[in-house]
Amino acid sequence: MTKPISIRPQPMVVTHGGSSSDPDTERDGCEAGARAGLRALQGADALAAVVAAVSVLEADGRYNAGRGALLGMDGKTISCDASVMDSRGKLGAVANLLEVMHPVQVARRVADTPHHLIVGEGALQFAKKIGLHHTFEATQKAIDQYKEEVQAIERAPDQSSSDAQDTDSDDGKAAIKRFWNFSGSWQEARDRSGHCTVGAVARDADGHFAAAVSTGGSMPALLGRVADSPLIGCGFYAGRAGAIACTGIGEHILRHNLALRIYLWIEGGMALREAMERGVELLPEGVEIGLIGITRDEAEVVARKPMAHALAGGLAR
């Protein structure tokens, strides 16, 4: 009796530059990240590939991650979140990590510790311990975005705690002044006068999967804000059926445990694109959202508006 032929999966890497990225002017950075991830697959696994891919995006400066991270609303704080996960049990994340060019590499090293998530001062000291703490200046793009946001917040109506309405109505701008928790006053920050996440998913020749995300946070946001990117099952998930990475407004993504929910649909047999489109539909109309995903036989990109992304490797569909 003839034995069935076992076909090895085609190695592949998918990257994105964030739900607000420009597919016309920023796709080349995503392509460079995907190629770096594919090169890593030649001698390593899917986890190494997504770290390599996201590291390229963090170093680029055009995306809200690593060197291109947004300024905090005080006009000086740069705080990043990142995470990695693979289908063989590796999981690591950092949140509110200051002054690190490659937070995804720190998250990867967290995956080698007894922990899965390290935050704030602990994350900073961990990065210093492993030699990944490198200060850097904000990009001009981040400075310009900060100035625009300060002006928008300045125009937002003041609200008292007793008459405050749902902050979704003004993107939380009035709440920033009302709940200001940075050192120094709002006026000092004003006088110095987005959101997005980069990500990658990969499949290696042994059929293992991995996901990685990295973000410079959201604007406007209070000091210490954490959303979906470092939270397992929210902004990312990887398992034996595939890997998912999300980008967009993190508060909406984490409410739905979006990455895990989509993963469970594909694990149950739903086609990847159908599961991702169904996931997008969970979020209110008009909420920015983008997804990349990969399974043994599929790779897909689904977003409410065009975003920079790239695929490198075997057949995409």
Side-chain angles (χ1 to χ4, degrees):
M1 186 174 184
T2 304
K3 293 183 178 180
I5 299 174
S6 177
I7 301 176
R8 292 181 60 134
Q10 291 277 352
M12 169 164 275
V13 180
V14 186
T15 59
H16 73 77
S19 59
S20 295
S21 58
D22 187 335
D24 294 324
T25 63
E26 297 176 349
R27 179 182 175 87
D28 60 319
C30 295
E31 292 173 340
R35 290 194 300 270
L38 195 62
R39 287 194 298 272
L41 281 177
Q42 296 175 6
D45 60 7
L47 183 58
V50 293
V51 172
V54 170
S55 293
V56 170
L57 296 170
E58 289 174 333
D60 187 286
R62 289 176 293 175
Y63 311 105
N64 179 24
R67 192 169 71 86
L70 291 170
L71 279 168
M73 292 313 303
D74 61 350
K76 55 185 179 181
T77 302
I78 298 177
S79 177
C80 295
D81 305 334
S83 55
V84 301
M85 184 178 186
D86 74 4
S87 54
R88 294 193 286 181
K90 286 289 187 181
L91 171 63
V94 291
N96 286 162
L97 174 60
L98 301 177
E99 299 177 342
V100 170
M101 176 77 78
H102 292 297
V104 73
Q105 296 178 17
V106 183
R108 172 62 187 88
R109 295 292 294 275
V110 171
D112 292 331
T113 75
H115 312 304
H116 295 315
L117 173 62
I118 301 179
V119 306
E121 181 64 21
L124 176 60
Q125 294 304 321
F126 180 76
K128 290 180 177 179
K129 177 73 173 180
I130 61 176
L132 286 175
H133 177 252
H134 305 290
T135 60
F136 59 95
E137 297 294 327
T139 64
Q140 188 59 50
K141 178 180 179 180
I143 294 170
D144 292 342
Q145 288 175 316
Y146 169 74
K147 291 179 178 179
E148 291 173 5
E149 196 65 31
V150 165
Q151 293 171 3
I153 292 173
E154 191 70 16
R155 293 192 296 268
D158 291 323
Q159 293 178 330
S160 67
S161 58
S162 59
D163 64 4
Q165 302 297 315
D166 183 359
T167 57
D168 284 348
S169 63
D170 67 357
D171 297 324
K173 291 177 172 54
I176 295 299
K177 286 191 286 185
R178 182 158 54 94
F179 294 115
W180 182 259
N181 66 341
F182 290 90
S183 62
S185 68
W186 159 249
Q187 288 75 19
E188 290 171 338
R190 177 194 61 198
D191 292 342
R192 281 195 294 270
S193 53
H195 53 265
C196 259
T197 305
V198 302
V201 294
R203 174 183 67 220
D204 63 32
D206 293 322
H208 303 304
F209 301 98
V213 299
S214 180
T215 182
S218 179
M219 183 184 292
L222 294 169
L223 181 64
R225 176 257 189 189
V226 175
D228 64 301
S229 296
L231 302 182
I232 182 174
C234 295
F236 67 99
Y237 197 83
R240 290 181 296 177
I244 301 291
C246 308
T247 176
I249 299 178
E251 280 71 16
H252 285 279
I253 293 171
L254 67 83
R255 286 179 186 178
H256 294 281
N257 293 105
L258 190 59
L260 176 58
R261 185 172 297 205
I262 294 169
Y263 174 82
L264 292 175
W265 286 334
I266 63 175
E267 189 179 51
M270 188 180 294
L272 178 60
R273 187 167 191 86
E274 180 183 355
M276 292 167 66
E277 290 176 343
R278 185 174 174 183
V280 167
E281 291 171 359
L282 289 174
L283 275 63
E285 187 175 349
V287 171
E288 208 168 272
I289 177 68
L291 306 168
I292 57 174
I294 197 164
T295 64
R296 183 179 176 88
D297 303 310
E298 302 167 284
E300 296 284 356
V301 179
V302 174
R304 278 201 164 140
K305 69 176 188 179
M307 68 177 182
H309 67 274
L311 297 85
L315 296 176
R317 295 174 177 84

